[in-house]
Amino acid sequence: MTLKGKQKSYLRSMAMTMDAIFQIGKEGIGDHFVKQLDDALEARELIKIKILKNSAEEAKEAGESLAKELNAELVQIIGRCIVLYRKSRKKPKIELPL
């Protein structure tokens, strides 16, 4: 799924008030972490992840890698935070504008 500009804007506005529910530390991204993210995306559809390393470039790399691995959309990178979206396969919760 490729998000349109209006849809990304809508998701970005939703993410502004969200707290990061996951953090990527010095250990990086492991299989267990990816499984937790997959479960969270299925339950919430939109999640924010904080990168504890000091590099915005690392946040970009992690966001792109996770989006690809989870079949999700990288909605936004805000400093060291990543916002991912994936429509739930079971019961969609977020109505995106057309």
Side-chain angles (χ1 to χ4, degrees):
M1 167 184 205
T2 302
L3 296 171
K4 299 175 186 173
K6 190 184 262 189
Q7 293 169 327
K8 273 195 174 184
S9 294
Y10 177 73
L11 292 170
R12 286 178 183 147
S13 69
M14 289 180 69
M16 293 297 285
T17 59
M18 292 174 57
D19 291 325
I21 59 170
F22 290 98
Q23 295 181 358
I24 299 173
K26 62 183 176 185
E27 300 85 28
I29 302 167
D31 292 340
H32 182 68
F33 183 74
V34 172
K35 171 68 172 120
Q36 288 180 322
L37 290 177
D38 187 59
D39 293 343
L41 280 167
E42 188 60 38
R44 298 174 183 242
E45 295 184 324
L46 186 68
I47 60 172
K48 188 184 281 188
I49 306 160
K50 185 173 185 175
I51 308 292
L52 297 180
K53 297 181 180 181
N54 292 327
S55 169
E57 183 61 33
E58 288 177 277
K60 181 181 178 188
E61 289 172 11
E64 290 170 350
S65 173
L66 286 170
K68 183 177 179 179
E69 190 165 349
L70 294 164
N71 196 29
E73 289 285 329
L74 179 59
V75 174
Q76 187 174 29
I77 300 171
I78 310 165
R80 293 182 293 144
C81 285
I82 302 164
V83 179
L84 295 176
Y85 169 78
R86 185 182 72 203
K87 187 175 182 174
S88 174
R89 294 177 289 258
K90 295 177 184 172
K91 185 177 177 187
K93 294 167 182 46
I94 299 173
E95 277 292 321
L96 293 178
L98 300 175

